[in-house]
Structure formats: structure tokens, C-alpha cells
Amino acid sequence: MIKVENVHKNMGEFSLRGVDIDIGEREYLMLLGPTGAGKTILLETIAGIYHPDKGRITVNGRDITGLPPRKRNIGMVYQDYMLFPHLNIEKNIMFGLRSRKVKKADAKSRARELAGMLKIDHLLHRHPGTLSGGEQQRAAIARALIMEPEVLLLDEPLSALDTETRTKLRAELRRIHEATSTTMIHVTHSFDEAFLLGSQMAIMNEGIIVQVGEPGEVFRKPNCKFVADFLGAANLFPGNAIVDNGMSSIDIGGVKIASAVPISGRVYASIRPEDIMVSLRPIESSARNSFEGNIERVEDHGTISQVTVDAGAPFIVSLTRRSFEDMSLAVGSHVFITFKAAEVHAF
């Protein structure tokens, strides 16, 4: 649907350095990365605010690389709303239809329809300065959607909102996507947003896309150390791997763990904390990885307790609060940990 091919754009401190990404029709792509990775520049280059120094952008096979923003049929919503303060909400929403010479009655009807969808139809007579942040953001989204864009770009649209408003608007975005089937690209720093909204997730660093996939797949199977670190991989071990019978044995410094990923040489092994079982006695299981050790650290995260077990290497394990209390675990407790080879991602 939308294809970005080898796009470069030098903005001095920030730049794109050969971005490649292919986004399918009706996808909801979450774009994440550290500050300065080039996420906003990528959105603005797709929108036509910047023209790439090199590369090509197509939408449904149509080359839009050199087109001005008004001819791209792409909508964009910023974090800070960017509503016109001198216009009421109805006129803000209808503003873009001026260029299309839409009849006023039709424009009003469409504005009311979108305002109703976004639950701000009772605010159409008000001016932006009298609205809350969440209400202004809903108006900005309606203003973008009234143009019936093929692609909607969202640059951290929820980051300036309080928790309750953010939760409500997140649900609205999910509902809008389902109702309109508009392809969306959404920049965020929130992993919760990525999981709850995204059908796909892309990780960006230093001007390039380093990994794309379904959110759960990217979280569980990072393709490089940067992605693993960025996503907060708690158990990330460098080691040396050898392959035997389609499995890997990875030496992470005296401790050997088995992985279902057949890989050899110098690698990183990653295990999610929630994939490790902990018990007070050895577990009879087909899992290939079983170790014993002592708890050296306990962290209380509310409903989750996180313990670090020294089993020759520091394994971080996530437990429900109830499991933690039922086993009466504490620093110094002797425990056994078990995890399957299939849960060990190696790259």
C-alpha cells in the first residue's frame, strides 16, 4: 500500500539514512525508537513536508515522491494538535475541505458525523482554547479524517495527555481504525500503545528501520542487541554457540543453555522473564534448560514480583505476586528455574 524505498534525508542533527519499509493496506503500524532516531522526519517526508534527497515513496503504486502535500491524500496529526485558535471546532474540522470546493452543507454534515464518531459533536461551537487536551486531539483527528486520507500519520498523538484521557483516546483510535480501515502510521514511545493498537511494529534507530514485525514477535524475537536493549530485554546474554541436531548449545560464561534456534558462533541469547518457571524443588519437565541457584534480588512491581536468581548467570524471573507469596520467596532462597529451548531466542 505505502512503500518507502531507500529514502535518505539529511537534516543535520537528524537524518534518514536509507529507510526501507512496506506497509500493507489497512495496517496500523506503530513506529518506535529513541529520541533522534528520525521518526518524525520519516512521517514528515511521507507527508511531503520534506522531499527526500534520495529514494522513492509510493502509495498504491502511485509515486508521490515529488508531489506537494496537498496532492498526496495523506493526513497528519501532531502531538500539539495545531488547531487554528481563531476558528471554532466545526470550522477547524472543515478547514481542509475548502481546497476541494465541497459544498458548505456537505462539509457541515461530514464534520458533524466525524465529531459524533469522536464524541465531540457537542463542542462544535467552541474554540480550541476552551477545550481540554483530549478534546483538542479528537478535533485534530477529525480534521485529518474529513479529508478521507489514504494514509493517516500520527506523531505521538497521546503523549501529552493524562493517563485517563490517553486510555480513552487509545480506545477511540482503535475503533476509528476498525471503522474507517485507514492505513495508519503512529509514532510512540509507549510499549502499551504498540501492543494495544498496532498490527505491525517497526523499530527505528539512527535513521534506519532495524526491525519490522507483529508487536509480539518483535518483543519476543529481537533481531539485534539494539532492539533487545531498547525493548528492555531483561535476560540478554552474550555467548558462544554450537549447533547439534538442529539445536544450539550456547555457553554464556560457564552456563550452557539450549536454544531451538540453530545458530553458531558469537551470539546473544534472550529469554523473557515471564517464560522462566521458578520452584522450590526440581520440576519434572521436558524443558531442556534447568538450573538451580539462590535469589539475590527481589523487586516489587505491584501485581508482579521480579526476582534475580544467581544460577551461574543472573536470570531475571517474573512471578505473580500470589505465586511469590505462596512460595515464601526472599533474598537468599534456594530455587530451581526451568525454561524451554523454544523460549530462548538467539541472534
Side-chain angles (χ1 to χ4, degrees):
M1 194 279 177
I2 180 166
K3 196 168 187 177
V4 179
E5 300 175 87
N6 193 33
V7 165
H8 293 250
K9 182 63 183 178
N10 186 359
M11 300 290 292
E13 186 176 355
F14 306 112
S15 63
L16 305 178
R17 300 187 301 109
V19 173
D20 285 293
I21 191 166
D22 197 343
I23 303 160
E25 189 173 3
R26 301 182 180 180
E27 291 280 10
Y28 198 130
L29 178 83
M30 306 301 295
L31 183 60
L32 292 86
T35 300
K39 304 182 294 298
T40 297
I41 293 174
L42 176 58
L43 289 197
E44 292 179 332
T45 302
I46 292 171
I49 296 169
Y50 301 121
H51 283 226
D53 301 328
K54 180 181 178 183
R56 192 167 80 123
I57 303 170
T58 59
V59 175
N60 285 327
R62 179 173 65 110
D63 192 335
I64 64 168
T65 312
L67 293 180
R70 68 181 183 279
K71 293 186 177 181
R72 296 192 177 208
N73 198 23
I74 292 175
M76 188 157 181
V77 177
Y78 285 95
Q79 173 184 342
D80 55 0
Y81 327 130
M82 295 183 71
L83 298 172
F84 300 112
H86 62 290
L87 300 179
N88 66 22
I89 296 305
E90 182 182 55
K91 290 179 179 178
N92 262 285
I93 294 173
M94 295 191 304
F95 185 82
L97 295 179
R98 287 182 178 180
S99 63
R100 296 187 179 178
K101 296 182 170 58
V102 175
K103 291 181 180 179
K104 190 173 183 180
D106 293 338
K108 280 179 169 286
S109 175
R110 180 63 177 150
R112 284 194 295 270
E113 179 186 346
L114 283 169
M117 180 187 294
L118 285 153
K119 301 176 182 176
I120 53 170
D121 46 326
H122 61 296
L123 302 173
L124 290 174
H125 65 287
R126 301 259 297 271
H127 283 71
T130 69
L131 271 57
S132 69
E135 291 165 343
Q136 289 186 64
Q137 193 59 287
R138 288 168 191 262
I141 292 168
R143 183 179 61 183
L145 287 174
I146 203 168
M147 304 299 290
E148 298 181 338
E150 292 178 86
V151 181
L152 181 62
L153 309 176
L154 303 156
D155 190 13
E156 297 193 60
L158 310 181
S159 62
L161 306 176
D162 62 82
T163 302
E164 182 181 357
T165 304
R166 188 162 56 243
T167 300
K168 290 179 180 178
L169 194 49
R170 191 166 57 201
E172 291 302 318
L173 284 172
R174 184 167 57 244
R175 188 173 60 82
I176 289 165
H177 180 250
E178 292 170 354
T180 65
S181 298
T182 304
T183 300
M184 296 186 178
I185 306 175
H186 180 146
V187 169
T188 183
H189 284 98
S190 168
F191 297 154
D192 286 342
E193 283 177 30
F195 268 107
L196 292 168
L197 292 173
S199 55
Q200 293 283 299
M201 182 168 76
I203 306 297
M204 194 169 187
N205 186 41
E206 295 182 346
I208 61 172
I209 302 289
V210 292
Q211 186 170 358
V212 182
E214 294 182 4
E217 184 74 5
V218 175
F219 267 86
R220 298 189 68 83
K221 297 182 178 181
N223 65 0
C224 64
K225 186 176 185 296
F226 166 77
V227 174
D229 285 340
F230 178 74
L231 297 178
N235 296 301
L236 183 65
F237 305 107
N240 293 299
I242 58 173
V243 177
D244 184 26
N245 292 325
M247 304 279 289
S248 296
S249 175
I250 307 172
D251 187 334
I252 60 171
V255 175
K256 293 183 179 180
I257 58 178
S259 172
V261 180
I263 190 171
S264 60
R266 190 67 177 167
V267 302
Y268 282 94
S270 175
I271 312 107
R272 301 294 301 181
E274 61 271 20
D275 291 332
I276 302 175
M277 294 180 287
V278 63
S279 62
L280 297 174
R281 288 175 292 278
I283 298 174
E284 290 188 12
S285 167
S286 60
R288 291 175 176 264
N289 297 292
S290 295
F291 308 98
E292 61 180 297
N294 297 313
I295 294 178
E296 61 177 16
R297 186 175 180 181
V298 175
E299 292 184 7
D300 184 355
H301 295 271
T303 57
I304 298 294
S305 292
Q306 202 166 73
V307 300
T308 302
V309 179
D310 182 0
F315 291 92
I316 297 174
V317 185
S318 290
L319 300 165
T320 65
R321 182 70 173 269
R322 180 166 184 172
S323 294
F324 179 83
E325 292 175 350
D326 285 349
M327 287 188 283
S328 300
L329 298 179
V331 172
S333 295
H334 188 74
V335 295
F336 296 83
I337 59 172
T338 306
F339 50 95
K340 297 178 180 179
E343 307 296 354
V344 180
H345 177 57
F347 56 87

